[in-house]
Structures are given as structure tokens and as C-alpha cells.
Amino acid sequence: MKPPKPISPFRLSSLLRLQKDPTLALQLFRSPNPNFNPKKPLRYSLLSYDLIISKLGRAKMFDEMEQILHQLKQETRFSPGEIIFCNVISFYGRAKLPDRAIQTFESITGYRCKRTVKSANSLLNALLRCGEFEKVRETFLGIYKDGTPDACTYNILIHACCRIGSLDDAWNVFDEMKRRGVLPNAVTFGTLMYQLCMNLRLKEAFKLKEDMLGVYGVKPNAYVYTSLIRGLCGIDELSSAFRLKEEMVRNELKLDSVVYSSLISALFKAGRKEEAFGILDEMKELGCKPDTVTYNTMINGFCKEKDFEAAFRILDEMVEKGCKPDVISYNVIIGGLCKEGKWIEAKDLLEDLPRRGCAPDVVSYRTLFDGLCHWKQFKEAAFILEEMIFKGFAPRSASITKLVDGLFQECNLELPLTVLDSLGKGNLVDVDTWRIMVLMACKKEKLSNSSKVVDTLVIT
């Protein structure tokens, strides 16, 4: 039997690519040949460095990733490519670590790697993800040290302007882009179009759509059409929205669930819910499978019409079609039931969620708790409060005040003590709640005994 051969650099890269567990991948990288002569360490390839850095970055194992980067910095046989650092900057952006992203960008030249506009764009996008708009501006002002801004650069700036709600600044960036001879692309127009439609500036949006093809030679894509359709639905221009949908079909653009969900929502709003089922049939004919968003839109429409039987039928249909309802599906129904005073049904549904394979979230509990307080079901509200705090969820402060005020009116001291105990466990007792509790105690008991009652509240 031949003795096993040591792992080669090429083989290590293959093994790293196959290894899904980042911790095991790191162990493999650090010690690929534990049973062989340690005096002849493996000469790592650049691909191996790239693979392990990417795996650690995706897993947010940043300290370990930095250790590998430090090791890479000591390599003299090759210089790493800029793409490695672009990826690292992106990992830090997704993790909302802007300072680390900046440090990585500034360290690139220390690896004998030339910075270009690509890494600058990666940094701009990471800062945008982190909401560091001032640092986006500062980075752009210094970008000429590393290269000339390209379409990606300006698209990020336009997106940043839109994020802070400054559409005028976005247009100014668009104008500068043109002055510098940088051609806008589909992303540029899509970002501007989305913001125009969000602000219901549909006339300008349609003018921009015409200019895309007529002036700039850029064909409108599905994202542009989707923004326009959503905008039209927002102002109840259903006929125009359906015409755009047909135009998408003629242009052989793929319609997704967002388009259909927007149309379904608008149909319900216009009192044309019967046509919504026709939309579902059309989706199936065109090979666009209804997803959770589509069904949730239907559920929301029926709940607004107080047709809860139909909403539950949609839930059943989702399961039959292999589309698992999510917590939003149930929260919409719980909210609708509470709004109509059907708090018993809402409470039963929340309790049934685990059996349905869906864990209630903070919105589930807050919605039911708010509904119970609104309908003055304070005893039930107190039970839900205790359960939600036990699960680590905090109610809205306004709802706590409503509950405590309601208990004050009922002059029932036993239940308020239970509520105070629950709030204390969640560290949710504020000055106003404490004041009302003391007043309630003084009102219930004789004034001469109020200090004794207050002591009871403090002990509780």
C-alpha cells in the first residue's frame, strides 16, 4: 500500500472550495499536512488565500479573516489582486462595520496592490449600506487619486442621494455624470425611476423612460416597468398599469410577483377583488408562480374587506400550492381580527401558530396586545404581556400606558401588581407607569395606608 501523499497547493484549493464549514476550512488551511515534515511548509497559492478569505468573510469570522490577511501580507512570491480587497470591503459593509471597510481600503497598497476605482466603488457601496452618507461624500471627493469615476461610481452616489430623500441632488449627480462623458446605464435609470415613482412624480418618470431609449439608447428593463406599474397603482391609474404590463409581455420582459402583487393590491383597493383571482390564473399561465408576497397581498385585501373566511382560504391554498405562509401572513390576519374586535379569534390564531409551523414574532404579540388594550380586555392583555416579555419581546410604551390607565379606572389592585411584576422583569417600568400604579394604590386603599401599599409595590 502506497503511503499517502501530502496535499499540494492545487489540491488544497480544491478541498477548500468543497468545504462548506468555514471553521473546518480554516483548520484545513492552517494545517493541510499535519502528518508530514513541518520543516517544509506548504507554499500557499493565491487561490487558496482568496477562497479562505471569502469563506471567513461570508461567515463574519472577521478576526480569523484578518489573521489570514496578515499572513498574505507576508507573501513575497506574488501580489494579491484587488478583487480580494473589494470582497473584504463588501463583507464589512454587509456587517455594518464602516471603519473596518475604510481601514481595508487604506491598507491595499501595503499588499503591493494598486488601488483603482473598483476598490473605491466597493468602499462607496459599503459606506452606503452602513448609512454613512457623509463618508460617502468624502470618499468620492478623494476618488481621483485612484482613478476616474465610472458609471458604477455615479450610480452609487445617485442611490445615496435617493436614500436620504434628496431627488434634486440625485438629478445633479446625473447631470454631472453626463457632463463628464460617463454614459448612464439601466441601473442609473432604474434608481432614478424608482425614486420618482415613490414620490408619485409619474409624469417625469415616463419622460425619463422615453429618454432612456430615444436619447441614451438604453432599453427599459423589468425593474423600470415594475417601478412605473407600482407608481400607477399608487395613484389608482389601473388602466395605465395594465397597459404597461401588456407592454412588458410584448417586449418579452419577465413579469415577477412584485408586478402582480401591485396589481392585485390596486384591484382590491378599487373594489375589484374578483379580478384578482384572474391575475393569479394569468401568473400561472405565464409561468410566474405566486409567492408569499402575492398571497399576503390577497390576505391583506380580504382582511381590509373584513372577509376573514376568504383570508383563511388563501392560507389553505398557500399550503396546498407548496407556498409556506410566513409570520407576516398570520400577522395581517391577527391585525384585521383585532381591528374588528374579534380578539378571541386573534388570540386563538396566535396560540395556534407553533402548530402551523410558524413562530410568532414581536409584531404578532404587539398587534394582539394593542388590540386587547383597545377593546379593554385588560385581563387577557396582562396574560399576553407576561408571555411576550418572557419571550424577550417588548410592547409599545403607548400600549403599556393604555393598559395601566385602564386598570386605574377599574381600581383592581391585584391585576396591576401582576402587570407591574411582568414589566419589572422586562425592565420596562418607567416614571409614568410607576406614578399611575402609586395613584391606583392610593385610590384603592385608605390614604393612611398608602405608604404600606407603595412598599408592597416596591417589593414586587
Side-chain angles (χ1 to χ4, degrees), residues 17 38 69 112 125 128 148 162 282 300 306 309 320 339 349 352 362 366 386 391 394 402 428 443 450 454-455:
R17 185 180 282 109
L69 283 169
R112 305 172 308 284
N125 194 52
L128 175 60
T148 304
C162 292
E282 181 183 321
N300 185 55
K306 307 175 188 178
E309 289 186 10
E320 290 172 6
K339 188 175 181 181
L349 179 57
D352 196 42
V362 63
R366 282 183 174 180
E386 184 178 14
K391 293 194 174 184
K402 186 177 289 188
L428 298 170
K443 183 177 180 181
S450 62
V454 171
D455 289 340

Side-chain angles (χ1 to χ4, degrees), residues 31 36 195 256 437:
S31 183
F36 290 88
Q195 196 64 26
D256 61 11
M437 287 293 187

Side-chain angles (χ1 to χ4, degrees), residues 206-224:
F206 274 97
K207 175 63 169 61
L208 187 60
K209 174 178 173 286
E210 291 178 9
D211 290 346
M212 279 184 70
L213 188 59
V215 178
Y216 302 98
V218 180
K219 188 176 180 180
N221 58 14
Y223 185 76
V224 167

Side-chain angles (χ1 to χ4, degrees), residues 176-345:
E176 181 182 343
M177 184 180 187
K178 293 185 293 181
R179 283 196 303 271
R180 293 187 176 274
V182 179
L183 293 177
N185 55 27
V187 175
T188 315
F189 292 109
T191 304
L192 288 169
M193 197 81 69
Y194 176 81
Q195 196 64 26
L196 286 169
C197 293
M198 285 289 291
N199 287 274
L200 301 181
R201 292 164 62 171
L202 274 299
K203 186 175 180 181
E204 294 171 71
F206 274 97
K207 175 63 169 61
L208 187 60
K209 174 178 173 286
E210 291 178 9
D211 290 346
M212 279 184 70
L213 188 59
V215 178
Y216 302 98
V218 180
K219 188 176 180 180
N221 58 14
Y223 185 76
V224 167
Y225 278 98
T226 300
S227 297
L228 289 169
I229 289 172
R230 292 179 69 179
L232 290 168
C233 289
I235 59 173
D236 301 326
E237 289 285 348
L238 263 173
S239 297
S240 298
F242 275 99
R243 280 197 297 271
L244 269 187
K245 178 182 74 70
E246 296 304 322
E247 187 177 319
M248 287 185 73
V249 174
R250 288 195 303 271
N251 291 337
E252 298 181 346
L253 292 173
K254 186 177 181 180
L255 284 79
D256 61 11
S257 63
V258 177
V259 172
Y260 286 112
S261 298
S262 299
L263 293 171
I264 289 170
S265 179
L267 286 170
F268 269 98
K269 187 178 177 182
R272 296 160 57 181
K273 65 179 180 181
E274 296 81 8
E275 297 176 50
F277 290 100
I279 293 291
L280 286 178
D281 293 336
E282 181 183 321
M283 289 181 71
K284 297 166 188 174
E285 290 173 7
L286 294 176
C288 180
K289 187 177 180 180
D291 61 9
T292 308
V293 175
T294 311
Y295 285 116
N296 285 352
T297 302
M298 298 279 289
I299 290 170
N300 185 55
F302 282 121
C303 286
K304 285 184 176 180
E305 293 203 345
K306 307 175 188 178
D307 190 348
F308 299 107
E309 289 186 10
F312 277 105
R313 283 199 300 271
I314 295 296
L315 275 181
D316 295 336
E317 182 179 337
M318 290 178 72
V319 176
E320 290 172 6
K321 301 296 183 182
C323 182
K324 183 177 171 60
D326 61 9
V327 71
I328 297 174
S329 313
Y330 296 108
N331 286 347
V332 169
I333 298 179
I334 290 172
L337 290 169
C338 287
K339 188 175 181 181
E340 295 304 312
K342 299 179 181 291
W343 58 270
I344 296 177
E345 292 92 331

Side-chain angles (χ1 to χ4, degrees), residues 134-165:
E134 182 58 33
K135 289 181 180 177
V136 169
R137 188 185 72 83
E138 292 172 3
T139 301
F140 174 73
L141 291 177
I143 201 171
Y144 290 93
K145 294 182 294 185
D146 302 303
T148 304
D150 57 12
C152 181
T153 311
Y154 286 107
N155 287 341
I156 294 169
L157 293 178
I158 290 172
H159 192 184
C161 293
C162 292
R163 280 273 303 274
I164 62 176

